[in-house]
Amino acid sequence: TQLLEQSPQFLSIQEGENLTVYCNSSSVFSSLQWYRQEPGEGPVLLVTVVTGGEVKKLKRLTFQFGDARKDSSLHITAAQPGDTGLYLCAGPPRGSDMRFGAGTRLTVKP
Amino acid sequence: DAGVIQSPRHEVTEMGQEVTLRCKPISGHDYLFWYRQTMMRGLELLIYFNNNVPIDDSGMPEDRFSAKMPNASFSTLKIQPSEPRDSAVYFCASSLRINTIYFGEGSWLTVV
């Protein structure tokens, strides 16, 4: 069982559509991070959320940390083919050991 | 900065052989992580170091795996003997005080 459960596992949409992916846990996290990984490369940090209820925006990407700090969501508005990739959430359950979810593999078709 | 540097980038080896993966973290970073990524299990934390000291190796699959960090600028992950089920991408990553984690490009291991 994953400490961080991500859904959906796979998502294929058309360019211009909106989407939301989720990261859930039964544990409370001091912070959660979102990374994007492209084929043949390592994950790259997109954002860190720290405060319960926090919302952060990065261009067309909106990240939210749940009030109880157990879950997070990533919403993409008007998805583009360049958004294609594996989206991973991560958090330190014991303060310094960064654990990752299994990821959502997003494909945006032109 | 050059980023996290891993070698080799790709390795194909026969079952039973010893495999050594190398990592140079970003200068000044105090945390170093080794992860393994497969389609089935995702990104698994194998072991991590803080100031060159191993903190948690509970993710190391079994005694065939070992990791060392003799100094702040170098770490190795060794598999001996290797088995086909060890085939995966192995990532080294580093960070400063558990903020942004910077990943290397990975070492793609195939054991035949």
Side-chain angles (χ1 to χ4, degrees):
Chain A
T1 303
Q2 291 273 357
L3 181 63
L4 290 163
E5 297 283 348
Q6 291 192 245
S7 61
Q9 188 177 0
F10 298 95
L11 187 57
S12 181
I13 61 172
Q14 292 294 135
E15 182 176 3
E17 293 183 5
N18 301 330
L19 67 113
T20 302
V21 298
Y22 301 92
C23 174
N24 295 290
S25 178
S26 57
S27 300
V28 176
F29 285 84
S30 57
S31 63
L32 279 180
Q33 298 183 332
W34 285 91
Y35 289 76
R36 183 170 72 200
Q37 184 179 18
E38 298 188 19
E41 299 180 6
V44 176
L45 179 70
L46 295 173
V47 77
T48 301
V49 286
V50 178
T51 306
E54 181 177 6
V55 176
K56 281 192 174 180
K57 292 193 174 184
L58 186 65
K59 298 183 180 178
R60 294 176 292 102
L61 279 60
T62 301
F63 303 84
Q64 184 160 8
F65 200 10
D67 291 340
R69 306 204 320 274
K70 293 182 177 181
D71 57 88
S72 182
S73 64
L74 158 59
H75 181 80
I76 301 179
T77 303
Q80 299 177 0
D83 296 328
T84 293
L86 178 66
Y87 288 83
L88 297 157
C89 67
R94 285 180 290 276
S96 58
D97 54 333
M98 193 62 75
R99 308 282 176 169
F100 283 77
T104 292
R105 197 167 294 276
L106 172 65
T107 302
V108 182
K109 301 175 184 176
Chain B
D1 203 310
V4 177
I5 300 173
Q6 292 187 245
S7 64
R9 188 86 165 91
H10 297 272
E11 175 142 352
V12 180
T13 191
E14 291 186 345
M15 182 173 65
Q17 295 298 306
E18 178 179 291
V19 173
T20 299
L21 307 179
R22 298 172 178 79
C23 175
K24 176 177 168 45
I26 293 173
S27 177
H29 281 191
D30 55 352
Y31 282 88
L32 183 139
F33 305 84
W34 281 100
Y35 289 91
R36 177 173 68 177
Q37 188 174 39
T38 61
M39 285 295 291
M40 290 295 294
R41 301 174 68 90
L43 200 58
E44 301 174 277
L45 178 62
L46 300 178
I47 184 172
Y48 73 98
F49 297 81
N50 178 221
N51 292 322
N52 313 338
V53 176
I55 302 302
D56 185 352
D57 65 353
S58 60
M60 297 285 262
E62 49 200 87
D63 292 346
R64 297 185 298 106
F65 286 69
S66 62
K68 294 181 179 179
M69 192 167 185
N71 57 63
S73 59
F74 184 66
S75 178
T76 59
L77 178 67
K78 188 172 294 188
I79 309 173
Q80 166 63 20
S82 59
E83 296 182 3
R85 59 188 167 134
D86 301 330
S87 298
V89 184
Y90 290 82
F91 285 103
C92 177
S94 70
S95 74
L96 181 61
R97 293 190 296 274
I98 304 292
N99 291 313
T100 304
I101 292 183
Y102 294 87
F103 283 79
E105 292 186 316
S107 291
W108 298 65
L109 174 65
T110 302
V111 183
V112 298

